[in-house]
Amino acid sequence: MRVFVSLVMFVLGALVCAEVTAQSIKFTDVSSQSGIDFEHTTGASGEGYLVEGVSAGLATLDFDGDGLLDIYFCNGAPLRGTVANGPVTNRLFRNEGGLKFKDVTDQAGVGDAGYALGVGVADFDGNGYPDIYVNNFGANVLYRNNGDGTFTDVTETAGVACGQNVGAGVGFFDMEGDGDLDLYVGNYVDFSYETHVPIVLKGKNYTAGPQYYNPVPDTLYRNNGDGTFTDVSQESGLARFAGPSMGLMCVDIDNDNDTDVYVCNDGKPNFLFVNDGDGHFQESAFLFGVACDLTGQANSSMGVDCGDYNNDGQIDIISTNYQAELPNLYRNLGGGFFEDATSSARLPYSLFPHVNWGTSFTDFDNDGDEDVFIACGHFDRIETIDDRTQMKIRNYVLRNDNGKFADIGVTEVGLTAVKSSRASAAEDLDNDGDIDVVVLNSNDSVTLLRNDLDSQNAWICLKLVGPGRNKDAVGAVVSVGQPQPQKRYRVSGRGYQSHFGSILHFGLGEVGVEKVQVSVRWPDGRETEQEVSVNKLTRIEHSPDPGDR
Amino acid sequence: MSQSTASSRVSILLALCAIVVASLSAMYSWSSRVVESEVSDVAPQAVRAETTSEAQPDLGSLALNTEQTQTIERDQQRATIRLPVAIPPADIETLEAEAKFMAERLLQDMPEEPIAVHVSAMLNAKLHNTELAIEQWKKCIEMSPRTEQYYVNLASVALDRGQSELAIETLMQAQTMGLYSPDIAHHLGLAHMNAGNNQEALEILEGAAKEEGQSGALWFLVGQVKLRAGDSAGAEEALRRAVDLGVKTRQVYFNLFSACMRNGNREDAAEFRTLYESFKPKKRIEPSMRFEASTTADARSLIAFIAAEAAMLYDRRGSVRDTEHLLLRSLALSPVDLNVLSNLADFLSAQQRFADERIVRERIVSLNSQQLLDYLLLAKAEVACGNPEAAEAAIKLAIALGPTSPTSYIAMAEFLVEQKRAPEAEWYARRVVELDRSPEAYRLLARVHRLQGDEAAAQSAEAEISQMQERE
């Protein structure tokens, strides 16, 4: 009997330990102490204009090269019928360390007052400093980083204003392998004040979705290498495809060493533009199995990210979707085919009633596999007509346990903010080796979550410096072999119409070594290997010497 | 009419009823499967609305009782109802308020009736007051723990709220009550799939599919769960079976495309992709559909449903005026709803208001009902109203619509016999025999011969029956 009792105690003990381990992800909401006083506005006048609900993205970038990631928030602007209550602009917050930030918008000169929806960041001119492209409802803006803490609006000279479209995600990538970064601009639908579709339910205005407007093809600009761009949407083959674009990402989906573009469409099948290496694209989402969900239904996709959640060496995709649609997790089966693994990977069904936006594959607990963050929130006072979800709702962190995901909960892990979230970015904002989260909330203040991971798990962070003018090394793939194979992708355009992840992060678990071997496949196809120290940020520069491997 | 003739007629009528029941049953299960498959494709967790509309017509009253009619004076047969032809305009708030009023009144009048609670739950589910709907179906289960529908509906709404565990728990509770059906298996499988329990889902669905055999909807789900589990060969086999069983939806073709691609069968994959893409996109979505809330059309159909359900309950209590009012209201909001029309016609028939019944049955037929029974019931109503010519025309139309079904020929033969037109009845009786060489068919023929005084022919027909019995 004593043996039996001991055995029971042992099992219970093991369960308790497992529970403790399971709850090792823990955040502290440090928004109020961070100095980030940004308050997003939709600029709503009560008419229910389409753009109100879909604003906005955010970006992380080290604009001043001090080794700390700064944050750029997109903002709405007063829409027709709204009286502005003071200046409303996008805002840049400089990271002063210790998760303290300072508003430097005016000094930096990046306070565009347009109606911002999406944002992209890359060093398009190869001067070593990240530039910012803002995708607006209306003319877009390209800010060139002068390298001295200031930016210059070069939209006109660069020729990238992109008309008066309703903007979406943005990506920079080298489409034809000429060494500089071209610009992919997502466009949503042909909404304008003139085409606005009013919807009145029970005396209240609600927002008409994209299905009431015509989708607009995206725009692709080729970087001419002299500070100007040329619209090549037609010759690249992209202009033939019109979809209500939202989040997008530029990454090598088919593993042929050129960069493809995956675009979320709102209520239409998603696009996968497969690059032939020369900047010509074939739309192949259906063939790859990433256009729809498992039932063949085109979801209203919002945000997107890629990773290798099951560490099988193949790039996987997650896209977030509208209410009454689960996010889609597309597992790469190899051979150019993906399967909808949402159910088999156990993405929690509790996400089903909510609108999901920002997302990222992120190893929050440094245990060597990528967890998932999902930002949620509706754009209408949905709770007045539907009790299944709410305008303001909690966000989700899904812990990855051997390729199966579980909701880590709310209160005990510090995810207490209940707002209507849109964009999110997962970054190590305090350089302590674990990934923090910043969330842009619609018509609300931001949420800044400090990761208070309590574990001895090791990590590495890598800052890649790419070849030629592609200093950001967009398109590079990094592999780590220990303690288990992992890959990270240097992506442009992530989450919900946002940019983050310029620094690649690997959790290593309890690796027990001081250095690990890292392999890099650079955008030009060259492969290099080197050892890097654990628990450190390492800068890896593309070597001009081709004999590395 | 001799005793033997009368008893023979009873047996023929019973046979007729049996045939009608069989054909109805086939039709019903066919349509049920189609609905099921559509439900599984479009909204797997859709709540089942029907409660009383599943009731079969009173087949015992199918006899074309001319004697009864003859006792009814023609001036008593004047119609007292008119059927709506157009939907009256109304705003959504008014319609929803009416729906709530109806449901509340029903609850007040019959708090002890689980169906009354069920109707209120349906209303709340449709208005997306899902938490309250769940509570009400829990109450329904308490009141009537052996009614499968309450478990299924509760589970459906739970799934709609993202609560797959509650759905599983509820459906397993139904199973512990000894309730088991393809529908429960279907929803339980879905709930497990949504919870990521693919193995459990597969066991449940595959078991049910094998047991049912002919349920395309179940095989479709088996295919889906196998696809999710990575068994693309098994998925392809199950999905092909679903197609063979009549599931020819966009979703099944998409899944077949995926399965074939994974199985390296690119030729078939291309074919299935073409089929998938052949489904045209739905028409432009109404503005408020964005929220899945009630559009005016939704609200109308909601009231129509509530009124129809309430009518059945009031009918059960013998509240004639309530029943008639509610059925007519339901019809006003949904003038071409065959279920409501049939319920109204049956109600009027039971009230012996044959002139009114005839109007309703004419409407049913004018809506191109595909059920022969509707034409025969119209014929019956015409006879009851003293319009044998119109009855004959209705049966002829039924024959024209289903020339290979013996049912209508039997009805015509019986009708002509009653009309004392045995020579004409013989032609129909012979066609019955040609289509259905059963003892009942020969008995009908024998009776018709005998009515014409041709005993030899009658005995010859009966000899066929004896031979059949010997062979058996």
Side-chain angles (χ1 to χ4, degrees), chain A residues 188 197-203 206-213 266 269 286-287 289 292-298 300 302 322-324 326 331 333 335 337-344 346-353 378-380 382 385-388 404, chain B residues 41-42 45 92-93 96 100 127-132 157-164 192-198 200 220 224-225 227-230 250-252 254-255 257-259 261-262 266 273 276-277 284-295:
Chain A
Y188 193 38
V197 176
I199 289 182
V200 181
L201 280 174
K202 300 179 184 177
Y206 289 85
T207 307
Q211 65 268 40
Y212 304 101
Y213 305 94
D266 191 355
F286 199 94
L287 279 177
C292 307
D293 67 14
L294 183 124
T295 68
Q297 183 188 338
S300 295
M302 311 292 191
Y322 189 62
Q323 179 186 15
L326 277 176
R331 184 165 75 91
L333 301 173
F337 205 76
F338 289 73
E339 70 170 2
D340 181 347
T342 309
S343 161
S344 53
R346 290 178 182 266
L347 260 71
Y349 195 67
S350 53
L351 283 161
F352 180 76
H378 210 286
F379 42 77
D380 283 312
I382 189 72
I385 55 171
D386 186 341
D387 74 351
R388 292 171 300 174
K404 310 280 186 199
Chain B
D41 293 339
V42 180
Q45 57 277 32
I92 189 168
E93 284 86 357
E96 282 188 9
K100 285 175 185 165
L127 296 179
H128 295 142
N129 299 322
T130 55
E131 209 170 333
L132 183 53
V157 174
L159 287 176
D160 220 17
R161 290 173 57 87
Q163 296 173 317
S164 48
H192 275 301
M193 266 204 275
N194 290 335
N197 307 330
N198 285 336
E200 289 87 340
F220 167 63
Q224 272 205 340
V225 73
L227 204 54
R228 284 172 201 248
R250 196 166 182 262
Q251 287 81 359
V252 79
F254 181 82
N255 289 153
F257 160 76
S258 302
M261 283 291 285
R262 286 190 219 172
R266 288 186 173 257
R273 180 178 177 174
Y276 165 79
E277 289 174 340
R284 193 174 169 84
I285 300 170
E286 289 297 322
S288 43
M289 285 285 282
R290 181 84 196 195
F291 311 102
E292 294 178 53
S294 299
T295 59

Side-chain angles (χ1 to χ4, degrees), chain B residues 238-284:
Chain B
L239 292 165
R240 283 182 185 277
R241 192 160 179 182
V243 171
D244 290 343
L245 289 168
V247 181
K248 294 178 180 178
T249 61
R250 196 166 182 262
Q251 287 81 359
V252 79
Y253 292 132
F254 181 82
N255 289 153
L256 271 165
F257 160 76
S258 302
C260 289
M261 283 291 285
R262 286 190 219 172
N263 294 333
N265 184 356
R266 288 186 173 257
E267 204 171 302
D268 283 3
E271 198 177 309
F272 288 125
R273 180 178 177 174
T274 305
L275 286 165
Y276 165 79
E277 289 174 340
S278 69
F279 284 82
K280 289 180 183 168
K282 288 173 189 167
K283 64 180 180 183
R284 193 174 169 84

